[in-house]
Amino acid sequence: MTLDETSKKSVVLAPLVLLSACDHYIRSARGSKRRVVGVLLGQNNGTRLRVANSFAVPFEEDERDPAVWFLDQNYIESMNDMFKKINAKEKLIGWYHSGPRLRQSDLAINELFKDFCPDPALVIIDVESNNLGIPTDAYTAVEEIKDVSHNTTGAANNSRMVRRPREALYIYRQLLKQKRRKKSV
C-alpha cells in the first residue's frame, strides 16, 4: 500500500467515544501526569473507520522509562468477546489514549494491538484541552521498507505513525440536521 492510498483513510468518531474517554480519564488519572488507554470499536470499510464505541483498559507505564509499560491483553480479549455478543457488527479497530500528543511507546503499543486487528487506528483525545474545536488526532501506522541493497542484511523495515483526517461529531451533526428537517415539515 502506498502512502497516497493510506492518506485517504479517515476516522469518524461518535460523541459517545469522546465522553467515555473523558470519563475514563476523570475516574483514573485526573490530577496526575498519567494517561489512560482504551479500545475503539466500530467498522472499517477500508477508507473510513467509524468508531461507535469504546471501553477502558487497565494500563500502567513508568514515568521515568517510557519503554516500560503494561497493557492487560487478557482483559482486552474478554471485553472484546463480551462486546461481540452485544453488537457483532462492531469490531475492535484500534485504541485511544488521553494524550495530549504521540509518545515514544505508541508504536510498540500499536504493535500489540495488531494481535487484535490488522491495521489498528490510534486516536489521541486531549481530555484537558482548552482550545475550541474537537480535541482529537487520529493516526495509523505505516510500514516503510527501505532498500539497503548495498548492505548484505537486505531490506530494513521501519514503522511510523501517520496523522489521519478525523470527523468527530459527524454523526451528531447528521442527527441534528435530521431533527431540524422533521421539525420544519
Side-chain angles (χ1 to χ4, degrees):
M1 189 178 286
T2 67
L3 183 58
D4 290 338
E5 289 171 347
T6 60
S7 63
K8 294 177 185 173
K9 189 178 286 189
S10 65
V11 178
V12 178
L13 288 169
L16 176 63
V17 176
L18 297 173
L19 291 171
S20 295
C22 289
D23 179 61
H24 180 197
Y25 178 78
I26 289 169
R27 286 183 290 111
S28 302
R30 188 176 205 172
S32 71
K33 293 182 181 180
R34 291 180 39 226
R35 65 179 172 161
V36 295
V37 172
V39 168
L40 300 174
L41 301 169
Q43 298 173 342
N44 180 357
N45 71 4
T47 59
R48 178 172 281 176
L49 292 168
R50 291 186 176 273
V51 183
N53 208 344
S54 65
F55 61 86
V57 175
F59 176 76
E60 294 291 330
E61 66 185 330
D62 189 341
E63 290 179 16
R64 287 171 265 144
D65 184 2
V68 177
W69 49 270
F70 170 76
L71 187 66
D72 192 342
Q73 290 175 278
N74 293 329
Y75 182 82
I76 294 171
E77 286 179 26
S78 63
M79 287 295 289
N80 192 35
D81 289 343
M82 282 193 282
F83 273 93
K84 282 179 187 174
K85 292 176 184 175
I86 295 169
N87 188 348
K89 289 182 181 179
E90 288 182 0
K91 308 285 186 217
L92 193 152
I93 57 172
W95 60 291
Y96 71 83
H97 73 70
S98 57
R101 65 191 181 293
L102 280 173
R103 298 204 184 171
Q104 184 178 351
S105 59
D106 288 349
L107 273 174
I109 296 169
N110 202 65
E111 285 299 312
L112 182 138
F113 273 96
K114 286 184 179 180
D115 291 345
F116 300 102
C117 64
D119 187 21
L122 164 60
V123 175
I124 298 176
I125 302 169
D126 187 358
V127 294
E128 293 188 337
S129 176
N130 292 326
N131 298 331
L132 292 177
I134 302 164
T136 62
D137 285 312
Y139 299 87
T140 56
V142 174
E143 186 109 6
E144 295 176 332
I145 301 173
K146 297 179 181 177
D147 184 16
V148 286
S149 55
H150 62 280
N151 189 342
T152 58
T153 60
N157 293 343
N158 192 16
S159 290
R160 65 184 174 93
M161 298 302 273
V162 176
R163 193 173 191 178
R164 300 291 176 210
R166 81 267 187 257
E167 301 173 33
L169 303 179
Y170 171 81
I171 296 170
Y172 179 70
R173 288 182 189 140
Q174 295 301 323
L175 290 173
L176 284 177
K177 285 180 185 177
Q178 288 175 356
K179 281 187 177 181
R180 288 181 188 143
R181 284 185 202 136
K182 287 181 182 177
K183 285 183 180 179
S184 65
V185 174

